Structure formats: C-alpha cells, structure tokens
Amino acid sequence: CPENLSEALEKLKLASADGAAASADGCLDSLLKALGNNNTETSMKIQETGVLPLLPGLLQPQSSCSTRVANIIAEVAKNEFMRSPCVEAGLIPPLIQLLSSTDQEILLQTGRALGNICYDSQSSKEQFASTNIAEELVRLFQKQTEHEKKEMIFEVLAPLAENDVIKLQLVEAGLVECLLDVVAKTVDGEREEDVTQLKTASDLMVLLLLGDESMQKLFEGGKGSVFQRVLSWIPSHNHQLQLAGALAIANFARNDGNCIHMVDTGIVQKLLELLDRHVEEGNVTVQHAALSALRNLAIPVVNKSKMLSAGVADVVLKFLQSEMPPVQFKLLGTLRMLIDTQAEAAEQLGTNGKLVERLVEWCEAKDHAGVMGESNRLLSALIRHSKSKEVVRTVIQGGGVKHLVTMATSEHMIMQNEALVALGLIAGLDLVSAEKDFVGANLVSVLHKLLSDEKSAPEIKYNSMILICAVMGSEPLHKEVQSLAFIDVVSKLRAHDNKTVSHQASLTEQRLTAQS
C-alpha cells in the first residue's frame, strides 16, 4: 500500500545518506513488491521523491544490495518516461562497472537494467556512446560459456547496436569475431538454443553492417576476412544463414565501389544459385533478401551488362508467379535497375508478353502501393530505355496505356515525368494503335490539368506540351485539344521563368494555331 511505499522511499533516502546498505535491504524489498503490483504508479512515485540519484551509491560492486537495486532499475526502466531520468541520475556508469562482476544474478539484473534503459530511446543511446560499454560488453561476452548469459548480453547489445557510433565501437572491440564464432559453433546444432543463438548472432552481424563506417571497415576493400566468412554463408544449407548472408551482401552493396568489386569477384553467381534453390518450395525471406542484394548490385552502370550476361534477368523472372508483395516489389526494382540505359535488355523484356501482362495486373494492386508504383515505373522504363515500336505494341496490347496515363497524375514528380516521357514515345512510335486507349483514359484532359496547375514542375509542363504536339496527328485527340481551349493555357506559359518551358510554349502555341 502507498503509505508503506512512501515510508520505504524515505527510509531509503536515509540509508543511502548514511551509506548503510544493510538497512536499505527491507526498503528495497518493499519497492520491488510495489513495482510488481503496479509498475507505472510506483515508478512515478520513485521519480517524484527523487530516489533515483541516490541509487548509484547503492550500486557499488561490494554492496550487498546491488542485485536488488539493478532489478529495481530494470523494472522502472520498462516505462518510457523513466528512461531519460535513469540516464540523468547517473545510473549508467555504475551499471557498466557491475558487468565485470562474477555473480550471475547481478549480471542478469544489470543486463536487464541496461537493456531496458536504452530500449527505443535515442537520447540514452547517445549517452551510452560516450561510455566504454561496447568494450565491457564484448569482453563480458568473450568470457561467457552459458547460453542464458550470452543471450542476456545479446539483449543489451541489440538495441545499443542501433546507434551508428556504438556499431563502430562494437566492431573495434572485436564483437564480429565473437559473432562469427557463435555461428560456426551453432550452425550444425540441433538444440533449440543453438538455433536461437545462430539467429541472434547472424541478425546482430547484419545490424552492424547497417552503419556506413562499420560496414566499410568490415569490407576492407573486399579482402576482409569477415566479408569472406559472410560470403560463405550464402551456399550454406541453413536458411537463417543464407538469409543473413544475402542481407549482409545487400548491406555491403551500399556504394558503387563495393558493388563493382563484388560483381567482379563472382557474387552474382552465388546469389543466383541461392535463388534457384528457393524457386519451388521457396523461403520468402531468403527470396526477398537475395533480390535486395541483386537490386543494389545492379545500381552502378558498369555492373548492368555484366549481370545481364550472367543471366540475372532470367532467374529473377522465375519469381513472376510469386504472390508475396515484398518479393514482387524487389523483383520489379531489380529488373528496373538492370534495364536502366540497357536498350537491348529493355527490348527483350518489354516484348515478353507474360511479363507485361503481370505488370499490368500489378498496376491494379490497390492494396500494395509499393508494388503498384514499381510496376508502373518498370512499364514506363521498358518503353523509355528500349524506344522500341515492338515494346510499345506489347504494352498497348497488354492494356498498359491507361496505367501510364494514371501514373502521370501521381503525387511523385519523378513518376509523373517517367510516365509523360513513356507516353510521348508511345504517341511518337505508334499513335494509330494507341489512339483508342488515349481517348478512353482521358489523356487530353489530364494534360490540360497538368498544364493549368500552378504546382506542376517545369519538367512536367515541358513534357506535357511535347505530348500535346505529338497527339495532334490523331483526329479524335485533335478534336479534344480544340474543345479544351489549350491555347489560353499555353500562351500563359510563354512568360514562364524557365527558359525551356517558355520556349516550348511558343512552339506549342504556333502548332496549335496552325492546326486550329
């Protein structure tokens, strides 16, 4: 009951003032009991009475009550509003010191306390970065033999490793070697705890690679032993390791230099073999990770043709039937990266009726905005990079035109622009076949809207005028242009402050006047 709680808190203040740990014992038990009954309310009370700043004094390694104090801190720090006060009360340094204790119970409670304080809290992670917690934890980890203890340290490490400064400190303190050891020891293990440790260690490894500096340090120009070991995970028979290996490659592939080096050293083949193993009874997370890695590797221009001749597009197309949106999304992104600037590949894929049909289907995936956006972008890219009449025909026959017209009204300027350029190529290469779809999708009134809208970017205005000129060769579209009084909108744009826009407006006005 609250009276006892207030009393306990007062006693605690006195006891810590006298440095009399022994007399604090009873009060600590009352606090733990109160926290067990109502954590939030008790925590508020602890905060209000100003007991937190007294706790460092009771966290001395030789003190009999440090286990219970750490336990209290762990309980209190379950509440988000208590995490910053714990840091401000100076609890982190004494807790870190307790990590070198040999008493298992102290270690457990200290680990819980540290883990809870830094859980989801940016500010406490930043404060941890200025301590030596990374070194202490790694040293502690190296000494552990028991599964429970290792897991406890992992639980503190994982939230800490979300901070980039701490990632680098952990790498420098030698955590990676520990993780690779855990993986080597548990990869063939049948026991539940082996499976858990393997997952935790490989996940943590991937997390360390999310930091730019820590990732680059471990890559070591592609010569790094860590990089080599992670590569050997990909052909492993263990799904968790395959997954971590593919995710690690995707993380190493965050800059052009690394991507170019990796493609030159034959990683693509390993990833393709991995994907091939997962086509039939596929593991979705592995598919997703391997496709992410391929997509990132395909970003540098010099890699595209090498990856295409390695057969990446053919393997990726095997997943066209996937019903999993995350896999669909990565598949589309990978193909889009591969064909960028690659006319021959764009033509080959753009005349693949099955692919175009599936893209058109995905353009209607209202529940999955990401897949919908990527399908539209790939459809447009096939036309823009091939500039081929055959591809345009395939897209028209597959019913893709109306989706490109919708895409021109997207809220993302880059997508609007890609759509307008593709529509311009359709109009230029096969206006006769596209005429019916253009009319059906109200292309002309969409263009009128884009040109009248103050907010449209200069590129959008420019490409809309190009498109107006391109559709004037069609009788029904020409009629629509006349009925919508385009001349007024276009002549206003002659005063536009962007030179390219104002020049195109003059040309478009002449064309409209000549053909009115």
Side-chain angles (χ1 to χ4, degrees):
C1 53
E3 293 81 46
N4 297 1
L5 177 59
S6 312
E7 207 173 303
L9 289 167
E10 283 312 313
K11 272 198 185 141
L12 192 57
K13 282 185 171 173
L14 292 170
S16 66
D18 303 341
S23 62
D25 277 359
C27 323
L28 295 174
D29 288 337
S30 312
L31 276 188
L32 278 169
K33 207 162 154 189
L35 284 164
N37 292 333
N38 186 334
N39 191 323
T40 316
E41 201 178 311
T42 310
S43 295
M44 286 169 119
K45 198 90 188 201
I46 290 175
Q47 163 72 330
E48 284 159 20
T49 49
V51 168
L52 284 179
L54 309 175
L55 298 183
L58 298 171
L59 278 174
Q60 298 317 314
Q62 66 287 356
S63 153
S64 58
C65 58
S66 29
T67 313
R68 266 169 298 183
V69 175
N71 190 352
I72 287 173
I73 298 169
E75 288 303 315
V76 162
K78 284 179 179 171
N79 302 291
E80 199 174 338
F81 65 88
M82 291 299 284
R83 288 172 195 154
S84 289
C86 282
V87 175
E88 285 150 23
L91 297 178
I92 293 175
L95 283 170
I96 290 173
Q97 292 216 282
L98 287 178
L99 286 175
S100 38
S101 159
T102 47
D103 180 322
Q104 298 304 328
E105 192 52 32
I106 287 191
L107 283 176
L108 185 72
Q109 297 303 345
T110 305
R112 284 184 61 227
L114 287 167
N116 289 350
I117 292 175
C118 69
Y119 184 78
D120 258 3
S121 153
Q122 270 332 98
S123 57
S124 59
K125 281 175 200 155
E126 276 154 27
Q127 279 159 305
F128 275 109
S130 59
T131 68
N132 61 343
I133 190 166
E135 275 171 76
E136 292 283 351
L137 285 171
V138 172
R139 214 179 57 225
L140 189 62
F141 189 85
Q142 288 159 340
K143 290 197 300 213
Q144 294 314 315
T145 47
E146 287 173 59
H147 167 68
E148 274 75 29
K149 295 294 165 300
K150 285 184 175 166
E151 275 301 311
M152 182 275 290
I153 300 169
F154 273 146
E155 277 166 30
V156 185
L157 283 172
L160 279 176
E162 285 168 14
N163 175 292
D164 282 358
V165 180
I166 300 178
K167 280 189 182 75
L168 193 57
Q169 291 171 353
L170 290 169
V171 167
E172 285 169 347
L175 177 61
V176 173
E177 288 67 23
C178 301
L179 297 177
L180 291 170
D181 282 348
V182 171
V183 168
K185 286 197 184 89
T186 55
V187 64
D188 297 313
E190 299 293 324
R191 294 173 310 177
E192 180 92 18
E193 65 183 56
D194 290 333
V195 179
T196 316
Q197 278 197 35
L198 179 71
K199 178 165 169 39
T200 315
S202 51
D203 283 348
L204 192 47
M205 183 76 206
V206 172
L207 181 59
L208 291 177
L209 293 173
L210 281 172
D212 287 335
E213 285 184 82
S214 45
M215 177 273 288
Q216 213 47 47
K217 193 175 171 67
L218 295 171
F219 188 66
E220 292 179 60
K223 309 268 183 295
S225 61
V226 172
F227 171 63
Q228 298 301 335
R229 290 271 287 276
V230 167
L231 261 190
S232 72
W233 293 356
I234 294 177
S236 150
H237 54 84
N238 181 302
H239 281 185
Q240 169 61 31
L241 266 201
Q242 296 169 0
L243 170 65
L247 287 173
I249 298 304
N251 283 333
F252 279 127
R254 284 211 308 276
N255 63 53
D256 284 6
N258 292 6
C259 288
I260 292 166
H261 179 86
M262 286 195 280
V263 167
D264 287 345
T265 47
I267 278 183
V268 171
Q269 218 35 59
K270 283 194 167 75
L271 288 166
L272 293 183
E273 283 159 18
L274 176 60
L275 275 172
D276 262 329
R277 288 157 69 183
H278 285 279
V279 174
E280 294 312 318
E281 37 17 314
N283 177 312
V284 174
T285 45
V286 174
Q287 294 172 0
H288 181 259
L291 288 168
S292 301
L294 287 171
R295 180 193 174 279
N296 288 0
L297 290 170
I299 293 173
V301 174
V302 293
N303 282 356
K304 298 180 197 292
S305 56
K306 292 177 187 165
M307 290 176 72
L308 286 163
S309 34
V312 172
D314 307 328
V315 174
V316 169
L317 285 173
K318 293 181 182 174
F319 294 90
L320 257 191
Q321 293 323 306
S322 170
E323 291 304 326
M324 294 297 179
V327 174
Q328 298 166 350
F329 181 74
K330 284 295 174 191
L331 169 152
L332 293 163
T334 307
L335 290 177
R336 190 164 64 80
M337 282 302 159
L338 281 172
I339 62 163
D340 196 12
T341 70
Q342 307 296 307
E344 199 182 322
E347 168 126 28
Q348 211 180 343
L349 289 169
T351 49
N352 175 335
K354 274 210 166 62
L355 170 62
V356 171
E357 195 180 311
R358 192 73 164 134
L359 291 181
V360 169
E361 197 182 310
W362 284 338
C363 284
E364 288 157 14
K366 298 275 182 290
D367 322 340
H368 302 288
V371 172
M372 199 164 101
E374 277 292 335
S375 309
N376 276 305
R377 293 190 75 181
L378 182 54
L379 209 49
S380 149
L382 292 168
I383 295 171
R384 289 181 297 114
H385 295 298
S386 67
K387 300 186 173 52
S388 137
K389 189 166 184 167
E390 287 312 305
V391 172
V392 165
R393 286 239 162 104
T394 312
V395 171
I396 295 171
Q397 277 159 4
V401 174
K402 63 173 188 285
H403 295 298
L404 290 169
V405 175
T406 307
M407 180 182 172
T409 63
S410 155
E411 68 255 32
H412 303 291
M413 201 260 310
I414 199 159
M415 285 175 67
Q416 283 185 295
N417 215 27
E418 288 171 357
L420 291 169
V421 173
L423 290 165
L425 286 162
I426 294 175
L429 290 166
D430 200 348
L431 182 57
V432 177
S433 312
E435 182 180 85
K436 202 162 118 269
D437 289 334
F438 279 164
V439 172
N442 294 320
L443 172 66
V444 173
S445 67
V446 165
L447 293 173
H448 190 272
K449 249 202 219 77
L450 290 174
L451 286 173
S452 331
D453 185 357
E454 295 285 302
K455 293 191 292 293
S456 297
E459 303 86 309
I460 305 296
K461 296 208 154 94
Y462 172 81
N463 283 319
S464 298
M465 288 188 281
I466 297 275
L467 194 45
I468 285 299
C469 297
V471 300
M472 295 278 280
S474 141
E475 179 87 25
L477 292 166
H478 185 183
K479 280 209 175 87
E480 285 186 29
V481 170
Q482 283 176 310
S483 71
L484 271 173
F486 265 86
I487 293 236
D488 308 347
V489 190
V490 171
S491 58
K492 277 200 192 105
L493 289 174
R494 277 174 36 204
H496 198 281
D497 33 0
N498 181 304
K499 287 286 171 284
T500 323
V501 172
S502 54
H503 179 63
Q504 187 56 43
S506 308
L507 296 177
T508 309
E509 189 180 34
Q510 286 163 18
R511 181 82 189 266
L512 289 167
T513 321
Q515 286 193 281
S516 58

